[in-house]
Amino acid sequence: MSVSGLVEIPYEGEFSLVDTLKSGQLFHWESALLDGCAGFAGCAGGKGPSFITQSEDGRVYGLSNDETLLSGYFGLDHAMDSIHATFPQGDEVLAEAIVYCPGIRLARQPMWECLATFITSSLKQVAHIRAISMKLRRRYGVAHELAGQTFYSYPEPRALASAGEEALRECSLGYRAKSLHLAAQAIESGSFDLAQIESEEDPEKVMAALLELHGVGEKIANCVLLFSGGFHGAFPIDVWIERILRENYRKRVRGQKLQKWAVDYFGENAGYAQQYLFHFARKTL
DNA sequence: AGTCAGGCAACGC
DNA sequence: GCGTTGCCTGAC
């Protein structure tokens, strides 16, 4: 890499930047050109934009005003070998799913933008979740320049709380506007202590707190635990996961029973298994 | 035109 | 506790 400012980010095991960006965890990274080098750029939390790229030989290079941000954000610090070692042995479905997309990583995002984005995700397809995220960022976030392009941070709770539900509806949110606005208000008013929950180490306490929010159920709460809290044992069950558990694992139960079975069966890194299976399901079912 | 999509809350039993 | 139903919107 000859581009000035880019720093190589080391990692072990498989990693695919493109697959991870397409994996339905992150919705706002955009193609970008930095000194002629093609990659992706986006803002994480209230920070200015970062740039990341992966070369043909797999090496990852990043540019960020926060040195350690990208490694943690894209899960490049995960020890994949030991994670895979915790999976159920002899599970051929999971093994095939891993071969299908071995480079997916669990990202770790700031909690507010993760929570807010998944509140807006209900009954939506990836492309639309992305469109909503971009509209909200453009309208209520903070603009930053990088390589002649403008990137927007995710709006702070205060910005969405003061915008009001009706204004949020204009961002194609539909009935989700109410939930997003209420969540922003709860954080802004202090009735939902985001900082305290972000530092909470007991996933069950985080789950209980999240479920208090209007518009947040089991699925969205588990997404926040997994994609932001760093709780890799969380196992969000959406229609695709339910489908593959039903068709490939012959599970006929649903809801809490299915949830409990999956967490017990896939183990402490059930969330990683979920990511592999999710992509496999979307391709094959 | 009707259906459906990466859920949730409210309601009925 | 279970299973239904309505909900905004855009894509097909």
Side-chain angles (χ1 to χ4, degrees):
Chain A
M1 286 290 145
S2 59
V3 180
S4 61
L6 281 182
V7 173
E8 181 170 3
I9 306 168
Y11 66 94
E12 290 177 11
E14 300 267 358
F15 173 67
S16 165
L17 176 61
V18 171
D19 286 350
T20 301
L21 285 175
K22 286 193 305 189
S23 71
Q25 306 174 61
L26 305 165
F27 302 95
H28 68 282
W29 288 77
E30 301 176 77
S31 295
L33 212 54
L34 184 65
D35 292 347
C37 175
F40 300 89
C43 296
K47 298 189 167 64
S50 299
F51 176 89
I52 185 165
T53 185
Q54 185 168 30
S55 62
E56 294 269 325
D57 63 5
R59 290 170 186 262
V60 174
Y61 302 86
L63 174 69
S64 174
N65 48 21
D66 178 347
E67 294 268 317
T68 60
L69 184 144
L70 289 171
S71 178
Y73 187 93
F74 285 101
L76 290 166
D77 51 349
H78 298 163
M80 298 312 297
D81 281 352
S82 32
I83 287 170
H84 287 186
T86 67
F87 288 160
Q89 298 303 301
D91 183 329
E92 291 177 12
V93 179
L94 182 54
E96 193 178 350
I98 293 171
V99 170
Y100 172 68
C101 56
I104 296 254
R105 296 271 173 140
L106 280 175
R108 184 157 188 184
Q109 317 171 46
M111 192 166 281
W112 163 242
E113 65 185 66
C114 181
L115 169 62
T117 303
F118 279 94
I119 284 175
T120 66
S121 77
S122 120
L123 268 186
K124 285 289 182 195
Q125 302 177 52
V126 172
H128 203 190
I129 300 168
R130 182 180 173 84
I132 291 171
S133 172
M134 299 312 259
K135 275 189 199 172
L136 289 170
R137 284 171 184 271
R138 197 156 288 151
R139 195 173 291 197
Y140 300 108
V142 176
H144 299 272
E145 298 291 325
L146 179 74
Q149 254 176 287
T150 306
F151 300 92
Y152 298 84
S153 61
Y154 198 86
E156 295 295 323
R158 172 171 306 191
L160 297 187
S162 62
E165 182 183 332
E166 286 312 309
L168 294 183
R169 276 185 178 259
E170 291 170 18
C171 297
S172 317
L173 282 170
Y175 63 87
R176 303 159 194 82
K178 180 182 180 183
S179 306
L180 182 60
H181 186 237
L182 284 173
Q185 275 187 325
I187 290 167
E188 175 60 12
S189 74
S191 67
F192 185 90
D193 190 343
L194 187 71
Q196 195 259 314
I197 289 159
E198 233 172 334
S199 62
E200 173 58 57
E201 291 181 9
D202 180 354
E204 295 197 12
K205 286 185 181 166
V206 179
M207 168 66 80
L210 290 170
L211 290 178
E212 294 287 316
L213 294 170
H214 185 272
V216 179
E218 289 276 334
K219 193 272 177 182
I220 291 175
N222 271 309
C223 284
V224 175
L225 286 179
L226 187 58
F227 303 146
S228 172
F231 299 107
H232 291 178
F235 193 91
I237 298 180
D238 53 41
V239 295
W240 290 103
I241 289 294
E242 189 169 319
R243 215 169 276 173
I244 200 167
L245 292 183
R246 188 172 60 237
E247 300 193 7
N248 295 47
Y249 289 84
R250 304 289 159 210
K251 302 307 292 181
R252 315 190 73 167
V253 294
R254 304 177 60 190
Q256 285 289 353
K257 282 182 184 166
L258 187 60
Q259 185 79 54
K260 184 177 179 346
W261 174 82
V263 167
D264 289 347
Y265 173 72
F266 290 108
E268 60 181 298
N269 292 297
Y272 251 110
Q274 191 266 8
Q275 279 297 290
Y276 294 125
L277 291 172
F278 175 69
H279 287 275
F280 188 58
R282 290 223 306 171
K283 267 298 173 207
T284 63
L285 295 183

